[in-house]
Amino acid sequence: MASQRAMHNACTRRFLRRGFSTTTRRDADFTHAIIGGGVVGLAIARQLQGREGASTVLIEKHGTVGTETSSRNSEVIHAGLYYGPDSQKTPLCIKGKSMLYELCARHSIPHRNTGKWIVAQDDTQFKALKSIHEFSKQVGVPTRFLSKEEAQRREPDVRAEAGVLESTSTGIVDSHSLMQFLEGDLENRGGICAFKSPVVHVNPLDAGRGGWEVTTKTPDGEESTITAETLVNSAGLAAIPISNMILPPDRHRKPFYAKGTYYSYAVSRPKPSTLVYPAPVPGHGGLGTHLTLDMAGRIRFGPDVEWTDDPSDYTPNRANLRAALDDIQSYLPGIDREAIDLDYVGIRPKLGKASATSGGKGFVDFWIAKEDGFEGFVNLLGIESPGLTSCLAIAEKVEALLYR
């Protein structure tokens, strides 16, 4: 782990190695500066540090990696079923899923291919399942409908009055172990992580043609500035404020934050062995109050959705508990309602109060782009689900935007 002092020392060593140069860009402290130490920022930093001669710094405001959205989610490896044919989310999720399974298997990162059931209770919901199934065939993601007999035999506690669509490539991953691996591999490749370093100012030198100055501030108020040839904004919940530091006012955006409360389950039955999701509701900001499992086999439910103006509001909200219980009991009727309680909160960065699925009103895609008018700058905004699944594919995309 590195502090601002370690980052300064690394910069000094590079100056001594490189010697004097007459161009600002060649004099830069680092070839790459990545703002944001979540799973996507880690994957990008690791990818870029793999380039010959690279020197990469990952700048993170907290004291460790992945303390926000990356560690406060369902830890699901998504199949790529919900985001439509023309989005960035679909190909990045599908490619990222394959890359993530391969990485986890190769490096013994805890994960499991659990599969997922999407369940319908009426004809309207079943139509949504048929639409998902048709789309899955278009994009090459395996799904299949289960007969009532098979569904009853495999998961007798799950109710699906109108049908079950199974996604066989969905799974779960220990996100903390994944991020520990990415951090370690980044450092093994020679990159550094600068923790407790919130960014307070970004200055593009000659619109980025001369590189980038990034100023951070320590908890005791000391400011430090480094320079980098390229800049990647992968700051998650803070990405839009960072973007607004750089882009002109007519390109500023308003951040939206979807707060979701997760619920724990304190008894051992019922206990399905697969993930269970309700059929998606058009216009909903999430995928419903679904059932997921952790690597220890514990059940959790959620998240619900409420909009907040405070990206640090991690207090669970009991106000939605009754509605969540009703949602859960619609597909898991045998639950003990008294055994479900508040667990933790995750907050997702959004580009609008939009649907989580492509069929819903106002669906908003990932924004991953090399911004017009700036050299060496890639901006990542609204990186929520399926960001965890897509992280390795996003990293490849960012490298391609910078160098190809």
Side-chain angles (χ1 to χ4, degrees):
M1 294 184 182
S3 63
Q4 284 191 353
R5 183 176 299 279
M7 182 162 58
H8 172 76
N9 292 341
C11 295
T12 302
R13 290 194 299 272
R14 282 195 186 89
F15 282 136
L16 293 173
R17 278 204 310 271
R18 289 186 178 198
F20 179 79
S21 170
T22 57
T23 64
T24 303
R25 192 175 176 104
R26 287 181 61 196
D27 268 350
D29 303 330
F30 299 94
T31 51
H32 314 110
I34 289 79
I35 302 173
V39 69
V40 173
L42 282 164
I44 293 167
R46 171 181 174 267
Q47 180 76 23
L48 295 178
Q49 184 58 28
R51 296 182 64 83
E52 184 177 357
S55 56
T56 303
V57 60
L58 181 73
I59 303 171
E60 167 55 44
K61 67 181 179 180
H62 296 293
T64 187
V65 299
T67 62
E68 295 183 344
T69 306
S70 296
S71 60
R72 293 173 169 269
N73 59 72
S74 301
E75 297 186 299
V76 171
I77 302 174
H78 287 287
L81 298 173
Y82 295 110
Y83 318 113
D86 301 318
S87 72
Q88 294 193 73
K89 288 185 176 182
T90 293
L92 288 171
C93 183
I94 293 170
K95 183 177 183 180
K97 171 184 60 177
S98 176
M99 294 174 73
L100 189 55
Y101 274 129
E102 181 183 350
L103 182 83
C104 289
R106 190 183 333 129
H107 296 286
S108 301
I109 299 166
H111 70 290
R112 188 159 75 248
N113 179 200
T114 58
K116 177 176 82 173
W117 285 13
I118 310 171
V119 297
Q121 311 301 340
D122 56 36
D123 289 343
T124 299
Q125 292 182 5
F126 188 69
K127 287 179 182 177
L129 265 57
K130 288 196 290 186
S131 295
I132 293 170
H133 182 54
E134 289 303 313
F135 175 69
S136 75
K137 290 190 288 186
Q138 293 176 31
V139 295
V141 174
T143 63
R144 69 185 190 100
F145 283 105
L146 304 185
S147 68
K148 286 188 176 181
E149 293 75 19
E150 182 181 358
Q152 178 64 25
R153 174 175 51 80
R154 288 175 54 188
E155 298 290 354
D157 295 317
V158 175
R159 173 193 284 161
E161 296 291 340
V164 176
L165 182 67
E166 182 176 36
S167 168
T168 56
S169 63
T170 301
I172 57 175
V173 63
D174 182 337
S175 62
H176 298 81
S177 295
L178 172 62
M179 288 187 286
Q180 286 174 357
F181 168 79
L182 293 174
E183 179 186 2
D185 205 35
L186 165 64
E187 292 178 338
N188 288 341
R189 295 179 180 195
I192 69 169
C193 298
F195 296 114
K196 298 182 180 179
S197 301
V199 172
V200 294
H201 183 67
V202 178
N203 180 31
L205 302 172
D206 191 18
R209 288 183 289 271
W212 296 81
E213 291 181 342
V214 182
T215 301
T216 61
K217 182 183 286 189
T218 64
D220 60 8
E222 179 185 353
E223 290 194 356
S224 176
T225 299
I226 60 100
T227 56
E229 296 176 10
T230 62
L231 179 69
V232 178
N233 174 21
S234 182
L237 295 172
I240 288 179
I242 296 290
S243 178
N244 290 348
M245 289 182 188
I246 299 167
L247 300 181
D250 63 342
R251 291 162 67 182
H252 285 187
R253 293 175 180 261
K254 172 181 168 58
F256 294 86
Y257 306 109
K259 175 181 175 180
T261 295
Y262 290 82
Y263 304 92
S264 61
Y265 193 50
V267 297
S268 60
R269 291 287 183 271
K271 191 175 183 180
S273 60
T274 189
L275 313 186
V276 183
Y277 280 54
V281 177
H284 197 271
L287 296 176
T289 306
H290 44 265
L291 180 157
T292 59
L293 306 168
D294 65 15
M295 289 305 303
R298 289 184 294 262
I299 285 176
R300 58 189 168 199
F301 299 101
D304 58 18
V305 177
E306 62 177 298
W307 298 98
T308 180
D309 294 325
D310 181 1
S312 62
D313 177 13
Y314 290 111
T315 304
N317 189 346
R318 191 168 291 275
N320 296 327
L321 177 57
R322 181 180 293 275
L325 290 170
D326 291 343
D327 286 346
I328 296 163
Q329 204 157 31
S330 71
Y331 61 80
L332 203 64
I335 58 163
D336 179 354
R337 293 174 70 103
E338 298 299 317
I340 296 177
D341 204 355
L342 306 180
D343 193 357
Y344 64 97
V345 163
I347 300 177
R348 285 158 283 166
K350 296 272 194 176
L351 294 174
K353 292 186 178 182
S355 171
T357 65
S358 65
K361 181 180 179 181
F363 170 76
V364 179
D365 200 5
F366 288 156
W367 178 268
I368 304 172
K370 194 172 181 181
E371 294 284 4
D372 290 342
F374 295 91
E375 287 297 317
F377 173 44
V378 176
N379 210 9
L380 294 91
L381 308 176
I383 309 299
E384 47 145 350
S385 182
L388 174 63
T389 306
S390 307
C391 66
L392 301 175
I394 291 174
E396 284 194 349
K397 181 179 179 69
V398 169
E399 182 182 24
L401 286 170
L402 285 172
Y403 290 107
R404 295 170 197 165

